[in-house]
Amino acid sequence: NTTANLKNIIISGSATVGIDQTGGNVTVSSSIIKNSASHGINKQNGTIALDNTLLLNNDGTGLNNLSGTATVRHIIAYGNNLGINNSGTINGWNSILWGNTSQFSGSGSIMYSDIQGGGVVGTDNINSDPLFISAAAENFQVSKNSPVLEKGTSINIPLYDFTGVQPRMSGRYPDMGIFERSEVKLPLDLSYYYTDLSGTTDNITATTSIIIKRNISGQDIAGITIVPNTLGINIFTFDLSDLVITQDMSGLPVINIP
């Protein structure tokens, strides 16, 4: 009856399996399990719940649920020999199974998810390239034209995405996968400027376009801090790609993250 809560971890390069569960209750959230010589997660009995988790490039199966119950919400399985194998009970939604040799084996229901090749039982699944920014570089954010945007269900979802700070409901419906696109509005009565990593400072206008990057673990590798120059305090730091500042119909500056 062991209970384990794993959050914000990276398990990489295991000589066997990344996580080997035999009973108990396990939750894994905002984590990455990759490059295991066998399965990313091998599970017998008990329960496991995966939220906002990436199963990447494991030589076996991303999630091998031999028995017991598995719940998967907002996961991505990519580059594994098999995305998910289920011989027990599985319930899943708002996920992406793509780029594996095979995506899913066994019985069970995966709903509101993007599954390459289709063929999995579940409501409102799609079979379309999710348009990751760069799977090769382990950047599993999706482009602004991705078919997975706002295609998830809003029922029983995590409060935040993989980053732990971006709310899941930034639009009418949540996105499939581990990241949520966002839009942030700046107060109209403040004058804003941005300072990049080289120390260059410029005014933000309706046509300002800023290109920045983020890595898969959410750590800043390059970024721009946006502060109001009237208050001199940090409001937020973005470390995403293709951040563009525009204006809405009322003239309010809007930060768009495609």
Side-chain angles (χ1 to χ4, degrees):
N1 297 320
T2 300
T3 297
N5 298 302
L6 308 177
K7 185 175 182 179
N8 298 327
I9 64 168
I10 298 177
I11 299 175
S12 179
S14 171
T16 54
V17 299
I19 295 175
D20 193 9
Q21 178 187 354
T22 54
N25 304 296
V26 175
T27 61
V28 183
S29 58
S30 297
S31 295
I32 303 168
I33 304 167
K34 65 178 183 176
N35 301 331
S36 298
S38 183
H39 307 303
I41 299 174
N42 188 62
K43 175 188 166 296
Q44 300 181 63
N45 302 319
T47 66
I48 191 168
L50 305 181
D51 289 336
N52 297 323
T53 290
L54 174 64
L55 306 173
L56 175 66
N57 294 337
N58 297 289
D59 288 348
T61 302
L63 170 61
N64 188 37
N65 185 40
L66 296 174
S67 58
T69 300
T71 301
V72 295
R73 306 184 300 177
H74 290 284
I75 74 160
I76 294 177
Y78 183 93
N80 308 283
N81 185 52
L82 175 60
I84 295 176
N85 176 60
N86 179 60
S87 301
T89 299
I90 192 166
N91 297 289
W93 54 97
N94 298 358
S95 296
I96 300 175
L97 308 182
W98 200 270
N100 307 284
T101 304
S102 298
Q103 311 310 316
F104 185 88
S105 177
S107 59
S109 174
I110 305 290
M111 305 181 297
Y112 297 94
S113 295
D114 190 6
I115 303 174
Q116 187 174 10
V120 178
V121 175
T123 303
D124 289 334
N125 290 327
I126 63 174
N127 172 22
S128 301
D129 188 337
L131 301 178
F132 296 125
I133 296 297
S134 178
E138 299 186 4
N139 184 343
F140 287 93
Q141 296 175 86
V142 296
S143 75
K144 62 183 178 181
N145 299 316
S146 173
V148 307
L149 298 176
E150 298 196 10
K151 291 298 178 63
T153 175
S154 59
I155 298 173
N156 193 11
I157 59 173
L159 291 177
Y160 300 98
D161 74 353
F162 179 93
T163 67
V165 295
Q166 173 58 45
R168 264 296 165 194
M169 291 298 294
S170 63
R172 293 180 59 198
Y173 299 100
D175 303 337
M176 298 172 179
I178 64 176
F179 290 111
E180 191 80 11
R181 287 186 67 229
S182 65
E183 179 179 279
V184 180
K185 293 189 175 182
L186 304 178
L188 188 61
D189 59 348
L190 292 179
S191 175
Y192 286 81
Y193 64 91
Y194 69 87
T195 302
D196 64 23
L197 292 183
S198 66
T200 301
T201 299
D202 286 298
N203 290 328
I204 288 176
T205 69
T207 58
T208 300
S209 210
I210 309 169
I211 308 302
I212 49 185
K213 303 291 183 182
R214 119 170 293 167
N215 64 9
I216 189 62
S217 63
Q219 302 299 313
D220 289 352
I221 53 176
I224 291 173
T225 300
I226 299 177
V227 300
N229 58 20
T230 55
L231 297 179
I233 59 174
N234 179 45
I235 297 298
F236 37 69
T237 299
F238 285 99
D239 189 27
L240 302 171
S241 62
D242 297 336
L243 182 149
V244 179
I245 296 178
T246 58
Q247 288 182 323
D248 65 14
M249 294 182 64
S250 65
L252 193 65
V254 175
I255 294 179
N256 299 293
I257 306 174

